[in-house]
Amino acid sequence: MTTIAILATGAMGAGIGLHLVEGGATVLTNLDGRGPESRRRAVEAGLRDVPLSEVARADIVLSIVPPGSAVALAERLAPALAASDSKPVFVDANAISPETAERVRAALAGSGCAVVDGCIIGAPPQPRGKSPAFYVSGDPDRLTAPLAQHGLDWKPMEAPFGAASGLKLVYAMCTKGVTALAAAMVLGAERNGAGAALRAELARSQPELVGRFAKAMPDMLPKAYRWVAEMREIAAFLGPDDPAALMFEGAAQVYERLAADREAGGELGATLLAGSKPAV
């Protein structure tokens, strides 16, 4: 039986953990400093809360945290990994740029552990549900193969370390990037009295977008605060010489604004939800 540690137990981490438990793995986590929701998700997923020293004795450690926390988690775990006689494979599965993935690898350079680049594309798995795609790069020896044996949709890439992170970001350009553009479009139309006409015109000429926006907006609002750093990772990935980087800095600011609005009562969010409903 493979022992897999997951840090941390957000919606995706807990969902992946549950899926692995259903696939017969022993799944560990560490809940030091985590809130009640994280603890509830871990218990419901069947994850064992253990000290970092025991996390460091797992076969595989999966890092599944917000992009801005990826390097800090690696730095936090590095001493326990270095001190452990076991040397798990550390897989960074976060929405970060290849450059940030290299910083994660550098933080673990003295640990003696193999570090693999990964990414997750898809929604958190539901109980007895379908696994999201789990891509890995920089793993020529297939050290992460037990993830497939325990039910994850494991997709090894014949590519160097950093390619999986790059894949995640370019994919997010057409999902979260488009959602930011749609939010700006809807709010701009509502602000200037063109909301009803926009909804009617989309229903007439772009019907496939109507359903997409109606689903994407309520899903995005509680996550907007998490997507700020991801959009900035995309901008950093593109680099200062690529004019598209400015687009994704703008997307980061859209999500920053919506996250702040949610904290302040959600007036913009309510406008966005109303403005993205299909025209009657």
Side-chain angles (χ1 to χ4, degrees):
M1 181 182 292
T2 307
T3 298
I4 299 172
I6 294 182
L7 301 171
T9 53
M12 181 61 79
I16 293 288
L18 173 62
H19 200 78
L20 290 167
V21 168
E22 291 174 344
T26 296
V27 185
L28 312 177
T29 192
N30 175 266
L31 296 173
D32 293 352
R34 303 292 296 181
E37 279 299 299
S38 291
R39 292 177 179 276
R40 177 189 60 77
R41 284 190 291 262
V43 169
E44 291 178 354
L47 278 57
R48 287 176 46 208
D49 178 21
V50 300
L52 289 181
S53 58
E54 190 169 343
V55 166
R57 291 198 294 270
D59 299 302
I60 298 174
V61 175
L62 301 182
S63 171
I64 305 177
V65 294
S69 301
V71 175
L73 175 61
E75 291 172 343
R76 175 178 167 234
L77 193 54
L81 293 173
S84 177
D85 292 335
S86 303
K87 297 300 175 185
V89 181
F90 184 95
V91 185
D92 187 291
N94 300 306
I96 55 177
S97 68
E99 292 77 13
T100 303
E102 287 290 355
R103 290 175 58 205
V104 168
R105 183 157 68 169
L108 296 168
S111 69
C113 296
V115 181
V116 173
D117 180 44
C119 78
I120 303 168
I121 295 180
Q126 299 302 308
R128 294 173 295 281
K130 181 180 178 182
S131 167
F134 200 109
Y135 288 87
V136 295
S137 64
D139 184 20
D141 297 324
R142 300 295 194 259
L143 300 176
T144 55
L147 298 177
Q149 295 162 14
H150 292 290
L152 286 190
D153 185 10
W154 177 67
K155 295 184 179 296
M157 300 171 67
E158 299 293 338
F161 185 92
S165 287
L167 171 65
K168 174 67 174 180
L169 295 189
V170 296
Y171 187 86
M173 290 182 190
C174 76
T175 53
K176 296 165 187 171
V178 169
T179 299
L181 179 63
M185 177 183 72
V186 170
L187 289 173
E190 293 292 328
R191 187 168 58 246
N192 291 281
L198 174 65
R199 292 194 297 277
E201 180 55 35
L202 286 174
R204 185 190 71 82
S205 61
Q206 302 284 346
E208 69 282 359
L209 293 181
V210 174
R212 177 173 179 173
F213 293 168
K215 180 178 183 297
M217 295 309 161
D219 182 62
M220 172 272 291
L221 286 171
K223 303 174 185 175
Y225 76 99
R226 294 174 58 97
W227 293 0
V228 175
E230 188 168 345
M231 296 300 100
R232 290 196 167 120
E233 288 288 327
I234 293 174
F237 169 69
L238 293 171
D241 295 330
D242 190 330
L246 295 174
M247 295 168 53
F248 289 95
E249 172 55 33
Q253 292 183 32
V254 169
Y255 288 133
E256 214 163 36
R257 184 184 183 205
L258 288 170
D261 169 74
R262 186 175 175 84
E263 288 291 320
E267 182 178 348
L268 283 178
T271 300
L272 184 57
L273 291 178
S276 58
K277 287 181 180 177
V280 178

